[in-house]
Amino acid sequence: MPQLIIKGLEQDKVKQISKPLVDELQQIIGCPRDYFTLEVVSSIFIMDGEERQITPFVQVNWFDRGQAVQDQVAAAICRHLQQAGCPQVETFFVVLEENRYYENQNHY
Amino acid sequence: MPQLIIKGLEQDKVKQISKPLVDELQQIIGCPRDYFTLEVVSSIFIMDGEERQITPFVQVNWFDRGQAVQDQVAAAICRHLQQAGCPQVETFFVVLEENRYYENQNHY
Amino acid sequence: MPQLIIKGLEQDKVKQISKPLVDELQQIIGCPRDYFTLEVVSSIFIMDGEERQITPFVQVNWFDRGQAVQDQVAAAICRHLQQAGCPQVETFFVVLEENRYYENQNHY
């Protein structure tokens, strides 16, 4: 954690932004870089009977770090995706609870 | 948003229901149709050592719109999937929070 | 439900653990075995510009059953994955709400 779950963005673009994005998130959040996972989801999106491209969106699963840090993380994600050629980006945060998150048999 | 994440249903069936389903959800919820995403997840399901078919289920990520609207959305999803040949359907809602959902750098 | 969403673990290993794991979870939770789904997610994970293996992790979507039962479920998942050759495992629980979970048109 944090887990970034990325939909609607090609694998190559995720590869391209992965290093600078995690470099920056690591600074903002203050956690080791190997805590991060960047997941490229291979789902298909459908509208009106046809497969279609969607506005890329990023779900971040993490422990709550407050609105200010969250704002900075969203801004960093947005900037890096825009630099990779996505004019529009949606990012949302899902808060996980520490007593529900286990490393092996022990929760946080 | 709303994001409909569909598991256990073939892509062709999702294509078939996508237009009439969104037509109806748009009426119930009162939001533009391009807010909707229908995601067909390509996961594999396992039970007792073998791949198997599951009862289709639909996760809806959205902002809370109250129990009455939610009931109508679940009923519409159920009806359209049943018309597409699924006798049994499970639908569940995950509430996203507005101050955690960003369009570009700004949250709702 | 419970839904086990498994990332970073090969399909064959999930097949291998699926029966004994559900046997045990069924005892701990006290619900029929056909309530369980084990989903193998086929996402790709990226770090520093390259695809990479991740520490396997399991998301459990379920109704809250209290900390003690949850601890036992996490321990069982951890043990079975370790027996399948994963030294490190992360498991986290996402609580679904009964009035937001529908079988066909009726919520719990």
Side-chain angles (χ1 to χ4, degrees):
Chain A
M1 276 219 311
Q3 304 161 359
L4 277 70
I5 303 171
I6 303 166
K7 297 181 179 179
L9 190 63
E10 302 85 344
Q11 203 190 123
D12 282 347
K13 289 196 171 167
V14 179
K15 286 183 177 168
Q16 178 190 326
I17 63 168
S18 58
K19 190 177 176 327
L21 174 60
V22 173
D23 285 344
E24 189 171 344
L25 295 182
Q26 188 183 2
Q27 293 297 325
I28 296 170
I29 299 175
C31 76
R33 68 187 294 113
D34 63 357
Y35 279 25
F36 291 89
T37 52
L38 274 67
E39 177 180 352
V40 185
V41 176
S42 56
S43 293
I44 285 163
F45 290 86
I46 305 287
M47 185 55 80
D48 293 340
E50 296 185 352
E51 201 175 322
R52 73 153 192 186
Q53 285 299 103
I54 57 157
T55 299
F57 62 94
V58 180
Q59 176 179 333
V60 182
N61 289 345
W62 74 346
F63 297 143
D64 190 16
R65 289 170 171 90
Q67 189 77 38
V69 172
Q70 182 189 286
D71 288 350
Q72 291 176 63
V73 169
I77 290 171
C78 175
R79 258 187 294 102
H80 285 274
L81 266 76
Q82 287 183 335
Q83 283 164 15
C86 311
Q88 200 71 16
V89 181
E90 301 193 9
T91 302
F92 64 98
F93 293 80
V94 172
V95 171
L96 303 179
E97 290 164 77
E98 308 200 346
N99 68 334
R100 301 192 192 282
Y101 198 103
Y102 296 74
E103 280 201 351
N104 294 324
Q105 303 203 18
N106 304 305
H107 67 71
Y108 276 82
Chain B
M1 276 219 310
Q3 305 161 358
L4 278 68
I5 304 172
I6 303 166
K7 297 181 179 178
L9 189 63
E10 303 85 343
Q11 203 190 122
D12 281 347
K13 288 195 174 168
V14 178
K15 285 183 177 168
Q16 178 189 327
I17 64 168
S18 58
K19 190 178 177 324
L21 174 59
V22 173
D23 285 344
E24 188 171 345
L25 295 182
Q26 188 183 4
Q27 293 297 323
I28 296 169
I29 298 174
C31 74
R33 67 186 294 111
D34 63 357
Y35 278 26
F36 291 90
T37 52
L38 274 67
E39 176 180 351
V40 185
V41 176
S42 57
S43 293
I44 284 164
F45 290 85
I46 305 287
M47 184 55 79
D48 294 340
E50 296 185 353
E51 201 174 323
R52 72 155 191 185
Q53 285 299 103
I54 57 158
T55 299
F57 61 93
V58 180
Q59 175 179 334
V60 182
N61 289 345
W62 74 346
F63 297 143
D64 190 16
R65 289 170 172 90
Q67 189 77 38
V69 172
Q70 183 188 286
D71 287 350
Q72 291 176 65
V73 169
I77 290 171
C78 176
R79 258 187 293 101
H80 285 274
L81 266 75
Q82 287 184 335
Q83 284 164 14
C86 310
Q88 199 71 15
V89 181
E90 300 193 11
T91 302
F92 64 98
F93 293 79
V94 173
V95 171
L96 303 179
E97 290 164 76
E98 308 199 347
N99 68 332
R100 302 193 192 280
Y101 199 104
Y102 296 74
E103 281 201 351
N104 293 326
Q105 304 203 16
N106 305 306
H107 67 72
Y108 276 80
Chain C
M1 276 219 309
Q3 304 162 0
L4 278 69
I5 304 171
I6 304 166
K7 298 182 179 178
L9 189 63
E10 302 85 344
Q11 204 191 120
D12 282 346
K13 289 195 173 168
V14 178
K15 285 183 177 168
Q16 179 189 326
I17 64 169
S18 58
K19 190 176 175 328
L21 173 59
V22 173
D23 284 344
E24 189 173 343
L25 295 182
Q26 188 183 3
Q27 293 298 324
I28 296 169
I29 298 174
C31 75
R33 66 187 295 112
D34 64 357
Y35 278 25
F36 292 89
T37 53
L38 275 67
E39 176 180 351
V40 184
V41 176
S42 57
S43 293
I44 284 163
F45 290 85
I46 305 287
M47 184 55 80
D48 293 341
E50 296 185 353
E51 202 173 323
R52 74 155 191 184
Q53 285 298 103
I54 57 158
T55 299
F57 61 94
V58 180
Q59 175 179 334
V60 182
N61 290 344
W62 74 345
F63 297 143
D64 190 17
R65 288 169 172 90
Q67 189 77 37
V69 172
Q70 183 188 286
D71 288 350
Q72 291 176 64
V73 169
I77 290 171
C78 176
R79 258 187 293 103
H80 285 274
L81 267 75
Q82 287 183 335
Q83 283 164 14
C86 311
Q88 200 71 16
V89 181
E90 301 193 9
T91 303
F92 64 98
F93 293 79
V94 172
V95 170
L96 303 180
E97 289 164 77
E98 307 199 347
N99 69 333
R100 301 193 192 283
Y101 198 103
Y102 296 74
E103 280 201 352
N104 293 325
Q105 304 204 16
N106 304 306
H107 66 74
Y108 276 80

